[in-house]
């Protein structure tokens, strides 16, 4: 082959191939658009596919003074869940779009599909008197063929009228909303929505006149105020919050009932079912009724506040009148008490006025200077003095002092508290031996249990007040801060499910949602302050009597200590403050604010009753508040973990019973026992000697009766809790404290009557009146207007209308009556309920001492029942 030819052949092989012609893209078929003039109240049955867009043009006349609602209803007949039909409604100032099937999500991202959808269109405001507005409904899809039905109607009664009920139906895919305009002169209204059926769960929302309106389950909480509902819902709306003087009432049915306390639906069990497959809920419909009524006026707020102040300030006026009357009566009777026994200082009256003993009484031998019924030489008496006194033929059961009244009169009784410690009495071995001898006697007098230096006891009981004052400050400050935060969250988010109000009687004021529930707690504060003033007056009178060496104040009656009274008054005031804080936003997380100081009041009242006759062996402030802290701790744990938890109830019942047994032992032996490693051996020894070797009855019969009854009641309450598992653990725990308090108070009165004392008229009337008030108060308490143990929607089923001045509800009446009842109970505890009987009276047939000789006789004259 010639070289030239070979070169041409090589070039031809290496040359690039000519480019093949590229296929040109086929021009797509243009999408068809069909625009149709449409009219209201006509059903359009049509179809659409991926190449077709249907547009329906509507127009309607809008009047400026009349609002007319327009509703679009669609129903997709084809079953193409993956390729839904899209509906877009274009209006003058808003666009609403939704797909059918409509997919709404529930808990755990569950999907629910709805084939029928209805939406009410947002109505823009018209500035002209008459205006014709146009809107368009666009229908499109990517499906090959989807048939549907479209209908546009006018909404009847779209504008709600005042005090006129309107009924309607709603579903999850067919929400409803209506417009309300404030009438002239109305500043606030209450929107009430009711239904005969609890489920399906629904949501009521109040929204401003803005477009778009959020009326689906997944967006209804975006703006405005809202709350879940089963059978009842009520929202108070204020005119100042809506610049347009109108608002929308939106009603949405939820896809699930879990938010209202209902059960979650089960997914259909099928081999071919996918977890992401939407669930068809079929006809999830609810019939509701809405009514808007005017709320109370500002004049009602003023009159209700004046009413509340008037009730409790009247107690101040009544107290002042009684004080004046008592002062006049004391002046008249001052000269008539020379030849007769006079009641003790702290039992002269409810207010407590000192009485001076005439000079004819000065011939008697006074009590010891430094103590109530203590041995001679102050609080450091010896056993020899005790044996000498016991062996005396003149006094069969007492301790006789030897100093004359002149020695007593030579020094004031208002001693300084500096360098005085309670341990000054308890450190000496012989005194400890005396305690074992004295406190384990079969028949005890107050003198036996009031032998410590009065300055020591005064300092001991003052600690109660200072401790509770410190607790109150550190407890109240974070509480106030927290509830303010709660109220702010409610106001900002509009979520009214956060707080459990009685929405049918919740009157807002400023940023507070339920001012009436806060105002009704004023009684606790005012009456607690009044009680503190009464005790302060009593203490001042007592100190004045000591300064002038009043023999009656020096030697007669039970020991006078005021620290526990101050603690009780402070606890009552704090109960009012913390109850008001709780009612700022009552819910599951702050319930303890309302109950903590109730436990303290019950505990302090029991301690005060016990301290009256057992001042030497009463609990210290530190141990008392520590025990109350344990009670509050169990209250919180019980509410959080106790519902349906058998393990918790078993542990709590065991602790309850063990604590009851330990306290019973402490009271029975007057503190003269030890809890150590030998306790079991001593218990077995007592059981063997008293039950096996010989059958002997209890040495302290009265105490045994009280403790047996107390154990029966407490064991019964423990069994009730273990079997029933009450939902309201906080109230259950409070019931335990109140039952024990009432039991001990009844025993206290019965034992005084057994000792020969009679009930005086004023304390008797106070006891009867207080009992009646307590009865009415408990009636209103158990009405149960709300409960945070259920869901907010279920709690609203218990809501009721106001019953007093159209401002206060049943729970407010409970606040009024319970504050008065607590105040009356404190007065009963502050006054001597009985008059003193024969001075030689002793329980159990004990030999009677000679009257009016020595400290033991004087102290035991009206208090022979000290052993109780």
């Amino acid at each position: 082959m010639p070289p030239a030819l070979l070169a041409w052949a090589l070039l031809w092989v290496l040359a690039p191939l000519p480019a093949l012609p590229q296929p040109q893209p086929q021009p797509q078929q243009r999408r068809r658009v069909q625009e149709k003039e449409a009219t209201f109240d006509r059903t359009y049955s049509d179809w659409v596919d991926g190449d077709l867009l249907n547009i329906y043009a509507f127009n309607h006349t809008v009047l400026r003074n009349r609002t007319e609602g327009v509703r679009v209803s669609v129903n997709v007949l084809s079953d193409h869940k993956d390729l839904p039909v899209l509906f877009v409604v274009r209006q003058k100032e808003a666009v609403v779009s939704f797909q059918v099937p409509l997919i709404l999500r529930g808990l755990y991202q569950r999907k629910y599909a709805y084939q029928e959808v209805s939406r009410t269109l947002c109505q823009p405001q018209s500035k002209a008197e008459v205006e014709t507005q146009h809107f368009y409904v666009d229908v499109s899809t990517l499906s090959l063929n989807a048939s549907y039905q479209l209908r546009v109607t006018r909404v009847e009664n779209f504008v709600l009228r005042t005090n006129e009920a309107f009924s309607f139906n709603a579903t999850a895919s067919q929400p409803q909303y209506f417009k309300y305009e404030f009438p002239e002169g109305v500043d606030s209204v209450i929107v009430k929505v009711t239904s005969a059926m609890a489920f399906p769960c629904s949501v009521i929302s109040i929204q401003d006149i803005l477009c778009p309106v959020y009326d689906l389950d997944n967006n209804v909480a975006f703006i405005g105020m809202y709350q879940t509902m089963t059978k009842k819902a009520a929202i108070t709306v204020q005119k100042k919050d809506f610049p347009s003087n109108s608002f929308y009432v939106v009603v949405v049915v939820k896809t699930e009932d879990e938010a209202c306390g209902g059960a979650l639906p089960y997914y259909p069990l099928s081999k071919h079912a996918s977890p992401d497959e939407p669930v068809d809920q079929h006809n999830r419909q609810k019939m509701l009724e809405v009514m808007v009524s005017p709320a109370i006026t500002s004049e009602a707020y003023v009159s209700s506040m004046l009413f509340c102040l008037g009730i409790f300030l009247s107690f101040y006026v009544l107290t002042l009148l009684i004080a004046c009357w008592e002062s006049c009566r004391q002046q008249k009777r001052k000269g008539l008490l020379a030849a007769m026994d006079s009641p003790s200082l702290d039992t002269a009256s409810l207010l407590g006025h000192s009485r001076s003993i005439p000079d004819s009484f000065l011939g008697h031998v006074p009590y010891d200077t430094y103590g109530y019924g203590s041995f001679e030489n102050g609080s450091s008496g010896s056993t020899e003095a005790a044996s000498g006194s016991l062996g005396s033929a003149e006094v069969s059961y007492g301790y006789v002092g030897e100093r004359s009244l002149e020695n007593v009169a030579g020094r004031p009784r208002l001693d300084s508290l500096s360098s005085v410690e309670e341990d000054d009495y308890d450190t000496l071995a012989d005194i400890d031996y005396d305690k074992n001898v004295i406190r384990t006697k079969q028949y005890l007098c107050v003198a036996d249990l009031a032998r410590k230096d009065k300055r020591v006891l005064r300092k001991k009981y003052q600690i109660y007040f200072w401790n509770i004052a410190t607790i109150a400050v550190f407890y109240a400050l974070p509480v106030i801060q927290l509830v303010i935060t709660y109220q702010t969250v409610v106001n900002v988010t509009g979520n009214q499910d956060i707080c459990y109000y009685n929405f049918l009687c919740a009157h807002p004021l400023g940023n507070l949602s339920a001012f009436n529930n806060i105002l009704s707690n004023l009684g606790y504060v005012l009456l607690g302050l009044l009680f503190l003033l009464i005790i302060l007056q009593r203490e001042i009178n007592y100190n004045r009597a000591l300064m002038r060496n009043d023999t009656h104040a020096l030697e007669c009656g039970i020991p006078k200590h005021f620290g526990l009274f101050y603690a009780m008054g402070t606890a009552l005031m704090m109960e009012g403050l913390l109850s008001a804080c709780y009612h700022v936003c009552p819910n599951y997380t702050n319930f303890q604010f309302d109950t903590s100081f109730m436990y303290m009041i019950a505990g302090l009242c029991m301690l005060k009753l016990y301290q009256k006759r057992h001042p030497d062996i009463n609990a210290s402030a530190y141990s008392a508040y520590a025990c109350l802290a344990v009670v509050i701790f169990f209250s919180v744990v019980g509410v959080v973990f106790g519902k349906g938890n058998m393990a918790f109830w078993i542990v709590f019942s065991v602790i309850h019973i063990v604590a009851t047994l330990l306290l019973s032992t402490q009271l029975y032996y007057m503190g003269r026992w030890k809890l150590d490693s030998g306790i079991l051996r001593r218990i077995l020894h007592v059981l063997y000697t008293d039950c096996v070797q010989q059958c002997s009855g209890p040495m302290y019969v009265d105490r045994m009766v009280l403790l047996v009854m107390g154990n029966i009641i407490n064991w019964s309450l423990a069994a009730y809790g273990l079997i029933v598992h009450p939902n309201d653990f906080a109230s259950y725990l409070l019931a335990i404290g109140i039952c024990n308090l009432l039991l001990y108070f009844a025993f206290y009165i019965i034992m005084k009557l057994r000792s020969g004392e009679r009930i005086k008229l004023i304390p008797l009337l106070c006891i009867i009146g207080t009992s009646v008030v307590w009865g009415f108060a408990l009636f209103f308490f158990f009405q149960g207007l709300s409960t945070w143990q259920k869901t907010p929607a279920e709690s609203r089923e218990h809501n009721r209308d106001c019953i007093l001045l159209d401002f206060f509800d049943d729970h407010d009446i409970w606040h009024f009556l319970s504050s008065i009842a607590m105040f009356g109970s404190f007065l009963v505890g502050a006054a001597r309920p009985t008059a003193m009987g024969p001075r030689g009276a002793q329980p159990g047939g004990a030999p009677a001492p000679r009257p009016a000789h020595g400290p033991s006789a004087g102290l035991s004259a009206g208090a022979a029942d000290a052993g109780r």
Side-chain angles (χ1 to χ4, degrees):
M1 179 180 293
L5 183 61
L6 182 62
W8 280 106
L10 183 61
L11 290 175
W12 183 83
V13 172
L14 296 177
L17 295 176
L20 297 176
Q22 296 294 329
Q24 297 294 327
Q26 296 294 328
Q28 292 184 350
Q29 185 179 0
R30 295 190 60 183
R31 192 170 193 180
R32 292 174 297 145
V33 177
Q34 292 184 1
E35 184 171 349
K36 305 176 183 180
E37 292 292 334
T39 59
F40 285 79
D41 300 321
R42 178 182 173 182
T43 302
Y44 292 91
S45 298
D46 213 335
W47 63 274
V48 69
D49 58 19
D51 298 328
L52 179 61
L53 172 64
N54 290 334
I55 300 177
Y56 298 86
F58 294 86
N59 63 79
H60 65 121
T61 303
V62 178
L63 302 179
R64 188 174 62 179
N65 297 327
R66 180 182 176 184
T67 303
E68 194 174 55
V70 177
R71 190 168 180 84
V72 177
S73 302
V74 298
N75 181 16
V76 175
L77 305 178
S78 303
D79 188 13
H80 298 291
K81 296 181 180 179
D82 294 335
L83 299 172
V85 179
L86 179 63
F87 294 84
V88 179
V89 182
R90 294 178 287 124
Q91 296 177 263
K92 180 180 177 180
E93 297 179 1
V95 175
V96 177
S97 63
F98 54 89
Q99 70 176 38
V100 182
L102 179 65
I103 305 298
L104 297 177
R105 293 186 179 271
L107 197 64
Y108 308 118
Q109 297 300 312
R110 296 187 179 191
K111 296 179 181 180
Y112 300 95
Y114 301 92
Q115 296 292 123
E116 297 184 24
V117 179
S118 296
R119 304 290 296 275
T120 302
L121 303 183
C122 182
Q123 295 302 305
Q125 296 293 328
S126 176
K127 299 180 180 179
E129 289 291 337
V130 179
E131 181 182 357
T132 300
Q133 294 185 354
H134 301 269
F135 66 92
Y136 304 90
V137 180
D138 301 346
V139 184
S140 61
T141 184
L142 295 180
S143 175
L144 295 178
N145 191 339
S147 58
Y148 63 89
Q149 292 179 341
L150 171 67
R151 184 180 179 88
V152 177
T153 58
R154 290 180 173 88
V155 179
E156 297 181 0
N157 300 316
F158 181 71
V159 178
L160 299 175
R161 299 179 181 179
T162 305
N163 291 327
E164 291 188 14
F166 176 69
S167 300
F168 60 94
N169 289 326
T171 68
S173 61
Q174 298 174 345
Q176 298 268 16
Y177 67 86
F178 307 93
K179 183 179 180 180
Y180 180 80
E181 299 175 350
F182 282 95
E184 290 294 333
V186 176
D187 295 327
S188 63
V189 294
I190 300 178
V191 180
K192 301 177 183 178
V193 184
T194 57
S195 177
M197 51 197 303
F199 298 105
C201 178
S202 55
V203 177
I204 311 302
S205 175
I206 303 297
Q207 301 180 19
D208 202 355
I209 306 297
L210 297 173
C211 295
V213 177
Y214 297 94
D215 59 349
L216 291 178
D217 185 24
N218 55 7
N219 62 18
V220 69
F222 285 0
I223 64 172
M225 299 178 290
Y226 64 93
Q227 56 183 233
T228 54
M229 170 193 166
T230 52
K231 291 184 177 181
K232 288 182 182 179
I235 300 180
T236 300
V237 184
Q238 295 180 290
K239 188 176 181 178
K240 64 180 181 62
D241 297 329
F242 297 91
S244 62
N245 295 336
S246 58
F247 57 87
Y248 286 136
V249 179
V250 183
V251 180
V252 178
V253 175
K254 294 183 69 66
T255 57
E256 297 173 340
D257 297 329
E258 190 272 340
C260 295
L264 285 173
Y266 291 100
Y267 274 120
L269 299 178
S270 174
K271 295 181 179 179
H272 304 289
S274 171
D276 295 331
E277 185 74 15
V279 178
D280 189 357
Q281 290 190 311
H282 304 290
N283 188 20
R284 185 176 167 83
Q285 180 174 296
K286 188 167 188 176
M287 183 72 180
L288 303 105
E289 182 180 86
V290 60
M291 185 175 70
V292 183
S293 56
I296 62 173
T297 61
S298 57
E299 290 77 10
Y301 279 85
V302 175
S303 60
S304 300
M305 287 187 283
L306 293 178
F307 171 80
C308 185
L309 286 172
I311 287 179
F312 299 112
L313 291 181
S314 63
F315 282 87
Y316 284 77
V317 177
L318 182 61
T319 302
L320 182 61
L321 294 177
I322 293 177
C324 295
W325 172 77
E326 184 72 13
S327 178
C328 296
R329 192 172 66 91
Q330 291 295 331
Q331 293 297 328
K332 292 180 181 179
R333 295 187 58 187
K334 185 176 181 180
L336 301 178
L337 299 177
M340 64 181 65
D341 296 325
S342 58
S344 63
L345 174 70
D346 66 335
T347 59
S349 66
L350 292 176
L351 301 176
H353 294 276
S354 60
R355 297 180 180 178
S356 298
I357 302 301
D359 294 338
S360 59
F361 187 77
L362 301 182
H364 295 285
V365 179
Y367 301 150
D368 181 70
T369 305
Y370 284 101
Y372 296 93
S374 57
F375 294 120
E376 57 182 344
N377 297 328
S379 61
S380 60
S382 62
T383 56
E384 290 81 1
S387 60
S389 177
L390 292 172
S392 174
E394 291 291 326
V395 181
S396 58
Y397 197 73
Y399 309 104
V400 182
E402 297 180 354
R403 285 193 289 256
S404 63
L405 187 62
E406 289 74 16
N407 293 333
V408 176
R411 58 187 303 177
R413 293 287 295 178
L414 190 61
D415 300 302
S416 172
L417 298 181
S418 59
S419 302
V420 179
E421 299 293 339
E422 188 178 2
D423 293 339
D424 292 347
Y425 177 83
D426 291 337
T427 53
L428 300 180
D430 56 341
I431 296 301
D432 187 66
Y433 176 77
D434 280 346
K435 286 193 291 187
N436 288 325
V437 171
I438 300 302
R439 296 179 188 174
T440 55
K441 295 189 302 184
Q442 186 172 4
Y443 301 102
L444 283 172
C445 302
V446 171
D448 300 323
L449 302 173
R451 300 169 62 233
K452 291 184 180 180
D453 193 316
K454 76 174 185 65
R455 298 173 301 168
V456 174
L457 295 181
R458 182 184 178 191
K459 181 180 180 181
K460 172 183 177 180
Y461 292 116
Q462 278 182 340
I463 298 177
Y464 273 95
F465 168 70
W466 292 113
N467 278 9
I468 200 171
T470 305
I471 293 172
V473 172
F474 283 92
Y475 197 100
L477 290 179
V479 167
I480 294 174
Q481 182 180 6
L482 180 62
V483 296
I484 290 176
T485 303
Y486 270 122
Q487 185 66 73
T488 303
V489 171
V490 172
N491 295 338
V492 171
T493 64
N495 183 4
Q496 298 203 353
D497 283 353
I498 297 177
C499 305
Y500 288 71
Y501 303 117
N502 175 18
F503 288 91
L504 291 177
C505 187
H507 303 296
L509 181 65
N511 292 327
L512 300 174
S513 299
F515 173 71
N516 54 304
N517 294 147
I518 299 172
L519 177 64
S520 58
N521 288 282
L522 184 64
Y524 296 106
V525 179
L526 292 180
L527 294 182
L529 178 61
L530 178 59
F531 183 75
L532 290 178
L533 295 176
I534 292 174
I535 298 303
L536 178 62
Q537 182 196 24
R538 170 177 293 185
E539 185 177 23
I540 292 174
N541 290 337
Y542 175 65
N543 291 335
R544 289 175 179 174
L546 294 181
M547 293 299 295
R548 65 173 180 265
N549 295 311
D550 189 329
T551 309
H552 184 278
L554 290 173
E555 312 299 349
C556 295
I558 61 176
K560 292 86 176 173
H561 305 292
F562 303 97
L564 270 170
F565 281 136
Y566 286 122
M568 290 163 58
T570 304
L572 183 58
M573 295 179 65
M574 287 305 302
E575 170 59 28
L577 176 61
L578 293 180
S579 178
C581 291
Y582 166 74
H583 285 284
V584 169
C585 183
N587 58 51
Y588 173 82
T589 59
N590 61 6
F591 70 93
Q592 67 273 17
F593 302 163
D594 193 30
T595 56
S596 296
F597 275 82
M598 289 185 182
Y599 302 136
M600 288 196 175
I601 290 174
L604 291 174
C605 288
M606 293 187 67
L607 287 170
K608 185 57 190 177
L609 280 177
Y610 193 76
Q611 181 250 345
K612 277 179 171 288
R613 304 299 168 131
H614 312 78
D616 283 3
I617 61 174
N618 203 17
S620 66
Y622 307 110
S623 57
Y625 288 129
C627 292
L628 291 174
V630 172
V631 171
I632 296 173
F633 170 78
F634 273 105
S635 174
V636 176
V637 174
V639 171
V640 176
F641 302 105
K643 190 173 183 179
N645 190 339
M646 177 59 73
F648 166 80
W649 282 101
I650 293 175
V651 172
F652 175 77
S653 299
V654 170
I655 294 176
H656 183 190
I657 293 174
V658 171
T660 301
L661 293 175
L662 292 177
L663 182 61
S664 300
T665 306
Q666 176 74 13
L667 296 178
Y668 185 77
Y669 290 106
M670 292 293 177
R672 308 314 301 155
W673 70 289
K674 294 181 179 180
L675 183 61
D676 53 19
S677 58
I679 185 66
L680 293 178
R681 178 180 55 81
R682 293 194 295 272
I683 291 176
L684 294 176
H685 177 73
V686 171
L687 293 176
Y688 177 75
T689 55
D690 292 355
C691 300
V692 179
Q693 285 188 339
Q694 59 179 0
C695 185
S696 58
M699 178 178 293
Y700 314 110
V701 179
D702 294 334
R703 268 180 265 170
M704 179 60 70
V705 171
L706 168 66
L707 297 175
V708 168
M709 293 178 61
N711 276 268
I712 292 175
I713 292 176
N714 281 276
W715 285 52
S716 301
L717 290 171
Y720 172 80
L722 189 60
I723 297 172
V724 178
H725 297 176
N727 291 329
D728 192 353
F729 182 80
S731 297
Y732 167 75
L733 199 59
L734 184 61
I736 294 176
I738 292 177
C739 288
N740 284 275
L741 174 61
L742 294 178
L743 173 65
Y744 185 65
F745 180 74
F747 181 82
Y748 182 84
I749 297 297
I750 292 172
M751 291 305 300
K752 290 176 71 65
L753 295 177
R754 281 195 58 195
S755 301
E757 303 182 27
R758 59 180 177 83
I759 300 178
K760 297 195 294 184
L761 178 61
I762 294 180
L764 177 61
L765 294 177
C766 193
I767 292 174
I768 295 175
T770 301
S771 301
V772 171
V773 176
W774 268 122
F776 283 105
L778 292 175
F779 169 79
F780 287 102
F781 174 77
F782 288 112
Q783 295 305 305
L785 302 181
S786 63
T787 171
W788 42 259
Q789 299 162 6
K790 300 180 180 180
T791 62
E794 291 175 312
S795 173
R796 275 185 278 274
E797 294 182 16
H798 303 279
N799 289 176
R800 296 183 185 176
D801 292 323
C802 303
I803 62 173
L804 179 62
L805 301 177
D806 290 329
F807 192 83
F808 299 108
D809 59 16
D810 298 74
H811 199 74
D812 295 324
I813 306 302
W814 150 256
H815 287 161
F816 290 148
L817 296 180
S818 62
S819 61
I820 295 173
M822 286 186 186
F823 178 70
S825 302
F826 286 4
L827 292 184
V828 171
R832 180 188 293 273
T834 58
M836 291 188 293
R839 290 193 167 225
Q842 294 282 346
R850 293 183 61 180
H853 286 285
S856 175
L859 286 172
S860 63
D865 55 337
R868 56 182 176 278

